[in-house]
Amino acid sequence: MTYERTSIPDLADEYVLGLMEAADAVEIEAAMERDAELRAAVAASRERFLPLDATVEPVVAGANLWQKIEASLPLHTDTANPVENASANDNSRNGWRVAAISAIAASVILAVGLVYSLTRSVDPLVVAVLINEAGDVQAVVEDFGNEDARIRLLADFDVPADKTIQVWTLPSREMGPVSLGLVDGVNGAHLGGAELPKPRESQLYEITLEQTGGSPTGRPTGPILAKGFAKRSR
Amino acid sequence: MSVNVRVNDLDEALASCAKGDRAALREIYDREAGQLIALAQRIVRRRELAEEVVQEAFIRIWTHAHQYKADRGSARGWIYAIVRNRALNLLRDGRREYTVENMDALREDGQADEVMAAWQKLDRASRLYECLAALDDVKRRGILMAYVEGYSHGEIAGRLRIPLGTTKSWIRRALSALRECLA
């Protein structure tokens, strides 16, 4: 992101207030890493508005939230030498490049997925390519509508013994996220055919890390591993 | 409220997290989680979403603690910003939209209340209060809607019934006036 030195205070405030477009916010986070003046402006802006954070009435934090946090912490070695650092902010210096490459990769995978599905007797209604925060393709979901859905994992996931990967979709805002099932195998899974409306173009699919047996609440509770939007197979 | 006390301890706790000390993260949780859940809930509305935000935020605090340095502001500001950012990301993913219908119904009372409550509870002795008070009502409201509830320029423009371009420019001017006042 290019910006005038004189606009740094404006940018810092707008970033801190959350008034920026997501893509610009990511660029600012990357620029902060190399621009000390911007970093200082953001820090100063945070401090200015921090008293407003003290105006909320604290709630009682349950012990089970801590248990969930503790259960999903990466090991110490990951902290010392963070592998998981590839979050959106950290590689945002190459943000657009990464996005472009992932988009190309996603198209290729999508094409492969479509060819694969065309060569089979039953076609999925939609195919969704799931991408993680860093923009890497992680899995493909094929949704056949009411009968079943299928997920194919395209990356290695580090799933602790007491965890499982759960697949979700968002058929509509009113319904909220609905579980399509759990991934048992390493490579993929057949998912149960929940009674859902026909999958549509651009429907959201995502996979999260949940406790063994699936989310206790019936809604996603764990970290999102990857997500993507459906494309209708044509 | 424990805000502003033992601030240095948060610095130390982050340094310990960076070394892999889970007890230090637990300490941050014990001290701040209640406040942080409430902060996230003010933005995402639903308690379970707020807890999800705080859960993700604590994992990020853990994996990024080594990046925290004093030139990034106070440890508290850094931690709170992570929670705010996660909550805002969740909004951008559209998940608050589940409650949009309800929110619109409650707009006149419930919504206005969050902003008003924050304004009324803001420490009267703080410079921030003094400087926000010096702004026009509508500018103050716009800034509070953005910071307190995570509204975008477009949402603020829509809710205050002001054209988008105008909204952007007066928020920018108001922020600049605030900086000058607080300098």
Side-chain angles (χ1 to χ4, degrees):
Chain A
M1 182 183 212
T2 56
Y3 46 85
E4 302 284 327
R5 306 310 294 170
T6 50
S7 66
I8 284 179
D10 288 334
L11 290 174
D13 273 348
E14 285 175 12
Y15 169 72
V16 167
L17 263 70
L19 285 167
M20 277 183 179
E21 297 296 325
D24 290 339
V26 164
E27 298 273 312
I28 284 288
E29 281 165 11
M32 266 165 63
E33 297 304 313
R34 51 182 189 269
D35 184 339
E37 192 181 340
L38 179 62
R39 192 158 63 233
V42 167
S45 180
R46 276 180 192 154
E47 298 306 313
R48 277 199 293 280
F49 289 101
L50 199 53
L52 279 169
D53 290 344
T55 62
V56 287
E57 205 57 56
V59 296
V60 177
N64 66 339
L65 179 58
W66 170 254
Q67 282 157 9
K68 277 193 221 163
I69 291 168
E70 198 173 29
S72 38
L73 290 182
L75 295 173
H76 174 208
T77 47
D78 292 346
T79 314
N81 186 8
V83 182
E84 280 304 307
N85 238 355
S87 70
N89 324 353
D90 298 313
N91 60 50
S92 50
R93 193 178 297 221
N94 299 320
W96 287 113
R97 197 162 61 86
V98 168
I101 292 169
S102 332
I104 293 165
S107 325
V108 170
I109 302 266
L110 191 56
V112 170
L114 287 174
V115 167
Y116 171 65
S117 54
L118 284 173
T119 55
R120 293 185 347 193
S121 51
V122 184
D123 293 345
L125 294 173
V126 298
V127 177
V129 177
L130 310 191
I131 291 169
N132 66 8
E133 217 184 340
D136 302 322
V137 174
Q138 303 288 298
V140 176
V141 175
E142 294 172 290
D143 197 334
F144 297 83
N146 263 340
E147 42 186 330
D148 69 340
R150 206 163 298 187
I151 183 164
R152 185 163 293 271
L153 301 183
L154 300 170
D156 295 324
F157 292 92
D158 189 12
V159 182
D162 58 340
K163 297 278 173 188
T164 184
I165 293 175
Q166 192 160 9
V167 189
W168 305 87
T169 188
L170 182 63
S172 69
R173 282 182 206 165
E174 294 71 36
M175 291 186 76
V178 178
S179 173
L180 286 173
L182 305 175
V183 177
D184 300 320
V186 205
N187 299 319
H190 252 100
L191 305 166
E195 275 296 314
L196 293 177
K198 266 195 177 174
R200 348 163 239 104
E201 177 93 3
S202 301
Q203 184 166 320
L204 177 69
Y205 288 80
E206 67 179 35
I207 50 177
T208 62
L209 196 59
E210 302 289 344
Q211 66 188 55
T212 305
S215 161
T217 64
R219 298 273 164 156
T221 55
I224 296 173
L225 301 172
K227 61 185 177 183
F229 297 98
K231 286 281 187 190
R232 209 148 31 81
S233 37
R234 293 159 209 212
Chain B
M1 212 177 289
S2 64
V3 175
N4 290 335
V5 296
R6 303 172 67 198
V7 164
N8 288 333
D9 289 1
L10 281 179
D11 279 88
E12 284 162 24
L14 282 179
S16 301
C17 285
K19 290 184 200 131
D21 177 0
R22 289 185 176 209
L25 190 70
R26 177 66 199 250
E27 201 187 322
I28 299 175
Y29 180 86
D30 286 344
R31 201 169 334 143
E32 302 289 340
Q35 183 94 13
L36 292 172
I37 293 168
L39 183 70
Q41 195 171 354
R42 197 157 68 169
I43 296 174
V44 301
R45 307 269 146 190
R46 290 194 349 221
R47 170 74 182 251
E48 69 265 32
L49 290 182
E51 292 202 2
E52 193 179 308
V53 163
V54 169
Q55 184 183 348
E56 287 174 6
F58 268 86
I59 292 161
R60 191 173 174 88
I61 290 166
W62 177 252
T63 55
H64 288 68
H66 65 283
Q67 285 186 351
Y68 172 71
K69 296 195 182 59
D71 73 346
R72 291 172 190 265
S74 68
R76 181 183 301 278
W78 188 80
I79 289 168
Y80 278 48
I82 288 176
V83 172
R84 276 179 52 78
N85 285 344
R86 301 310 295 187
L88 291 170
N89 284 346
L90 195 136
L91 286 196
R92 288 177 190 133
D93 288 350
R95 301 207 23 210
R96 184 167 69 176
E97 289 174 18
Y98 300 139
T99 60
V100 158
E101 293 81 2
N102 300 341
M103 269 168 49
D104 278 343
L106 296 171
R107 177 151 60 107
E108 298 310 325
D109 34 286
Q111 284 241 298
D113 282 351
E114 285 288 0
V115 166
M116 285 314 293
W119 173 236
Q120 276 158 12
K121 283 191 200 152
L122 182 59
D123 181 2
R124 298 286 153 115
S126 69
R127 289 282 295 149
L128 181 62
Y129 180 88
E130 209 176 297
C131 293
L132 278 170
L135 296 175
D136 302 346
D137 280 356
V138 72
K139 285 184 180 154
R140 178 168 63 242
R141 176 167 289 271
I143 286 180
L144 290 173
M145 283 169 79
Y147 190 85
V148 172
E149 297 192 284
Y151 281 112
S152 65
H153 278 127
E155 289 172 312
I156 294 169
R159 280 171 168 74
L160 297 180
R161 298 190 172 84
I162 300 170
L164 180 59
T166 315
T167 306
K168 283 187 179 172
S169 64
W170 66 242
I171 285 184
R172 189 166 276 215
R173 279 204 303 277
L175 287 171
S176 162
L178 267 185
R179 283 198 302 274
E180 225 165 89
C181 176
L182 284 160

